[in-house]
Amino acid sequence: SIFANYWQSRATNGVLKQKLHFPFADRPFPNEPARLHLSSAVIERSIGNLNLKRILKNCKSSLLYTIHGIANAESYAIDLFWDLIARFFSYDINCSPILMKLNHPKSLSNKPPQYLPEEFFDDMVFIATQEAEHFLLWQDRLQQGYNCMFGVFPCNNGLWQSALLTTDDLLARLT
């Protein structure tokens, strides 16, 4: 992705990433990632409401629906990693909600901010890039093997729902 290339080029120039200016840093985070589904039926975790037998009967095979589901998981994995990078880039470890709830000595708010190391974000950018590659492979498999576009079937957003529950707590997000 463009941002991944930018991130990696900044690393090779020796510029501290903590000084990077994110063009979106002053904007609120979206409740949902942008979806390119052809179907507007992005559903919450309640797959039980779907008539899967009817859907599978209209598919070439259940394998097609399975591949589509894997591609869906990969697409949300991309969103989850980029959301983690953006949301927690300026995260002060001293202000972790879990540490504060436990009255942990490290949660003292009078301490100077302590941010995550650059290497953490290097890894997250690398993983997000890998997830994008995986998604493209599954998308290509759908198109080449089944003449099917990603997004034609309803998808669940259970992975993203878990992200919404951990918007302010890095430790909870990572566990």
Side-chain angles (χ1 to χ4, degrees), residues 29-87:
F29 290 97
N31 287 331
E32 289 285 331
R35 296 280 94 185
L36 295 176
H37 295 291
L38 300 175
S39 166
S40 61
V42 176
I43 58 169
E44 292 187 14
R45 209 155 173 90
S46 58
I47 298 259
N49 295 339
L50 290 176
N51 184 342
L52 289 179
K53 287 183 182 179
R54 180 180 53 79
I55 291 172
L56 294 176
K57 185 178 177 182
N58 294 329
C59 296
K60 288 185 180 180
S61 70
S62 61
L63 182 58
L64 172 61
Y65 193 74
T66 301
I67 292 172
H68 192 275
I70 294 169
N72 179 58
E74 294 290 356
S75 72
Y76 274 107
I78 298 164
D79 295 326
L80 289 171
F81 279 100
W82 285 116
D83 180 76
L84 185 146
I85 292 163
R87 192 176 298 276

Side-chain angles (χ1 to χ4, degrees), residues 17 26 97 114 116 141:
K17 293 182 184 94
D26 56 346
Q114 182 180 357
L116 293 164
R141 179 68 178 132

